[in-house]
Amino acid sequence: MQVFKLRLNSNDYQSFLPVDGRIWETDILKMDCKRKLPDWKSPEVYIRNPTRQRGNFLHLCSGAFVVDAVGMQKLRTICEEAGEVLPLAHGRDEYFLVNVLECANCLDNNNTKWVTGKSTGVRIRIENYHFDKSRFSESTLFKIPETAASEVLCVTGFKDPADEFKSQVEALGLKGLLFEQLWSD
C-alpha cells in the first residue's frame, strides 16, 4: 500500500480564483470534512493564469480539487464515494469542486514524526507520515483529522486499480494533478 498527497499543478496548468475575494472571509470554500451541498451556491470564478495549459484538474481552495467535465465523467463514482461533487460554473464549461468528506483516523501516531514548536512543543506539521493500514476506509480518496482542512490524500494497493483514484487518473491520462508519495508499507 502507498499513500499520496494530491497536489494541483498550478505551475504548468490553469487554476481558479474567486472573483470576489471577500469569499475567503466566509466558510464557503473551507473544505474541512463538512457538508456544503445543502447550501451550495457556485461562487463566480476566473482563470488566474490563462496562458498556462488547461488541465482536467484545477486549484481553487485548500482541502479540495476541481475536476472538469471530462475528468468527472470518468471519476464520478470514486469522487462520490469520497464525498460531495459540487457544481462549479465558469462560462459555458462545466466544472466540479470535489469536497472530500471521508475522514479516516488512520494516522499511526506512535510512528508519525511531527515538526513541533521549539518553545511550545505544539505540533506544527507532519514531517514523516505513518499509517495504520487496518484503519483505511473503503474510499481511496480521503482525509485525516490532523490535516483535513488542507490536504486530500489517496491510497493505492488495497483495491482493484480500476477502483483507485490515482490509478484511474494515470490510466486515463488526465492532467493537472501531481501525486506526492507520503508513505509505503
Side-chain angles (χ1 to χ4, degrees), residues 172-183:
L172 296 165
L174 300 176
K175 305 290 183 203
L177 195 57
L178 302 171
F179 296 95
E180 176 187 340
Q181 186 174 332
L182 300 178
W183 175 81

Side-chain angles (χ1 to χ4, degrees), residues 1-161:
M1 293 179 143
Q2 296 177 311
V3 174
F4 298 85
K5 181 186 330 185
L6 277 60
R7 291 194 177 269
L8 284 297
N9 185 354
S10 298
N11 290 329
D12 298 322
Y13 294 93
Q14 294 177 348
S15 60
F16 283 130
L17 276 177
V19 170
D20 185 353
R22 293 175 299 176
I23 200 167
W24 300 119
E25 298 167 12
T26 71
D27 287 343
I28 292 169
L29 294 177
K30 184 178 180 184
M31 301 296 161
D32 57 354
C33 298
K34 293 186 180 115
R35 294 199 173 279
K36 302 289 181 182
L37 195 55
D39 301 318
W40 181 252
K41 291 182 184 109
S42 177
E44 189 177 354
V45 295
Y46 70 96
I47 300 286
R48 180 180 73 88
N49 42 9
T51 59
R52 295 194 179 137
Q53 300 176 66
R54 182 175 169 182
N56 303 99
F57 297 93
L58 296 93
H59 181 269
L60 174 61
C61 58
S62 295
F65 58 93
V66 175
V67 184
D68 70 1
V70 171
M72 185 52 67
Q73 179 184 2
K74 307 287 186 186
L75 300 170
R76 182 173 291 279
T77 300
I78 294 171
C79 291
E80 287 178 343
E81 182 179 74
E84 299 176 317
V85 175
L86 306 170
L88 186 67
H90 177 68
R92 289 183 281 174
D93 297 324
E94 250 189 326
Y95 293 92
F96 304 90
L97 181 64
V98 178
N99 179 23
V100 175
L101 300 173
E102 187 66 40
C103 192
N105 186 13
C106 58
L107 197 65
D108 176 347
N109 284 306
N110 292 329
N111 293 309
T112 294
K113 185 174 181 189
W114 289 83
V115 173
T116 58
K118 290 181 182 177
S119 62
T120 64
V122 173
R123 293 176 172 176
I124 297 171
R125 66 178 168 81
I126 300 172
E127 182 177 324
N128 192 357
Y129 292 73
H130 281 271
F131 293 91
D132 180 340
K133 60 185 178 182
S134 70
R135 291 194 266 161
F136 285 118
S137 68
E138 285 295 311
S139 176
T140 62
L141 274 175
F142 68 100
K143 293 183 174 189
I144 56 175
E146 295 82 358
T147 61
S150 60
E151 295 179 345
V152 177
L153 308 175
C154 70
V155 61
T156 62
F158 83 101
K159 281 185 136 181
D160 182 320

